Amino acid sequence: MSLVIPEQLWKKATSTIGLVVVRHDDGVNVMAAEWSYFVNKEPLYAAVVLSPRARTRELLPKQGEFSLTLCSEEQAELADFVGSFSLDEVDKTGSELIGFGAPETTETPWVEGGLVALECVLRESIPFPVHTMFVGEVVAAHLPGRERRPLVKHGSMHALGKPVRRTAVVATAQVLPDGTLRVAATGPVASGSDVWRLSLLGADGGTTELGEHPSAEWGDFQADLPLPAGPPTLAGARIKVEREGAIPGFARVTVGGGAHT
């Protein structure tokens, strides 16, 4: 471990590159924003974080609106291009790779060809020591005619890989102040019956079955269970959680947030 923060540590994060469009007196400008995110669900808010070098940072508060296209993997060259030049240097909209869609709610066009294009009304500007975050409420969304895959920024630009297949149960177990045992777990979709099988494993090698239990609303598991009468000492005890088709999960039994000793 080091207390020295490495340079460009932020490149360890992963995001979808956004194409930000904002109007100005002579037309519109397009720039690439590596830090583009949804930041609220209802109402739907999207945010872009811009550096001091970005001319859009000056224009956006004056216009009070912007569009944001989340890039598809086919737009890697375009994202690189619009991120390499400033409006002060050249009008980037002359590129034949840029096609604009007509806005429905705002007056700002949006770049075609992405995962989704969002028309946004500026709701808040948040200054940081160097960068500024602009938060907009999404007032219109434009989806492509076919499914597209995202352009992922993680240091360099990447195509999205295969989904990670979960194979194991992950669990935790805690004795509550009233003596109830609370067990929580997640895992892959069961290959058979949608139940979770629990066992209390004593430090002496004994096993106490705690029964089968159904999934919660979102497919995970949480339940408060009475400890069985005359259980083995909880010192060193573990909980085993099984789910059909998955590697079992194990948890130390904790009391009050700490390991029971």
Side-chain angles (χ1 to χ4, degrees):
M1 183 179 71
S2 173
L3 296 179
V4 178
I5 299 176
E7 293 185 3
Q8 298 188 335
L9 188 62
W10 50 270
K11 289 189 175 182
K12 297 293 185 182
T14 302
S15 62
T16 299
I17 300 173
L19 300 178
V20 182
V21 179
V22 65
R23 292 179 292 114
H24 57 84
D25 292 341
D26 299 319
V28 297
N29 183 51
V30 185
M31 67 162 291
E34 177 175 345
W35 296 337
S36 301
Y37 312 97
F38 287 112
V39 292
N40 196 69
K41 291 182 179 180
E42 294 182 7
L44 186 61
Y45 278 22
V48 294
V49 182
L50 306 183
S51 78
R53 299 190 304 273
R55 182 71 185 283
T56 298
R57 179 167 154 163
E58 302 174 17
L59 298 171
L60 204 157
K62 297 177 182 178
Q63 299 300 331
E65 62 180 47
F66 62 98
S67 71
L68 173 64
T69 295
L70 298 180
C71 288
S72 65
E73 61 185 12
E74 294 97 331
Q75 294 177 308
E77 290 84 359
L78 177 57
D80 179 58
F81 171 73
V82 299
S84 297
F85 300 99
S86 168
L87 174 62
D88 294 329
E89 298 171 317
V90 67
D91 178 7
K92 292 172 277 187
T93 62
S95 170
E96 293 187 352
L97 288 181
I98 299 177
F100 287 112
E104 294 182 356
T105 304
T106 67
E107 297 182 12
T108 304
W110 44 276
V111 177
E112 298 174 331
L115 302 177
V116 63
L118 312 170
E119 296 180 44
C120 301
V121 174
L122 182 63
R123 294 301 185 213
E124 189 172 0
S125 300
I126 305 173
F128 298 127
V130 176
H131 294 70
T132 300
M133 175 183 285
F134 296 95
V135 181
E137 181 177 352
V138 178
V139 294
H142 306 273
L143 294 168
R146 62 176 177 84
E147 191 72 19
R148 290 189 167 98
R149 292 166 58 83
L151 178 63
V152 178
K153 182 72 171 175
H154 181 72
S156 57
M157 290 185 281
H158 300 265
L160 189 67
K162 296 180 180 179
V164 176
R165 181 174 176 268
R166 295 182 298 155
T167 60
V169 172
V170 179
T172 190
Q174 177 185 5
V175 177
L176 302 179
D178 63 0
T180 301
L181 177 66
R182 174 168 292 174
V183 180
T186 58
V189 175
S191 59
S193 300
D194 185 19
V195 296
W196 305 76
R197 291 181 291 276
L198 276 61
S199 306
L200 176 64
L201 310 179
D204 59 0
T207 299
T208 303
E209 300 297 334
L210 300 179
E212 295 185 345
H213 306 271
S215 291
E217 179 181 2
W218 302 109
D220 52 13
F221 173 75
Q222 180 177 315
D224 293 345
L225 309 171
L227 286 170
T233 175
L234 291 180
R238 303 161 71 211
I239 290 291
K240 179 181 181 181
V241 182
E242 298 174 275
R243 188 160 169 78
E244 192 167 338
I247 300 169
F250 296 86
R252 297 179 294 273
V253 177
T254 65
V255 177
H260 189 279
T261 57

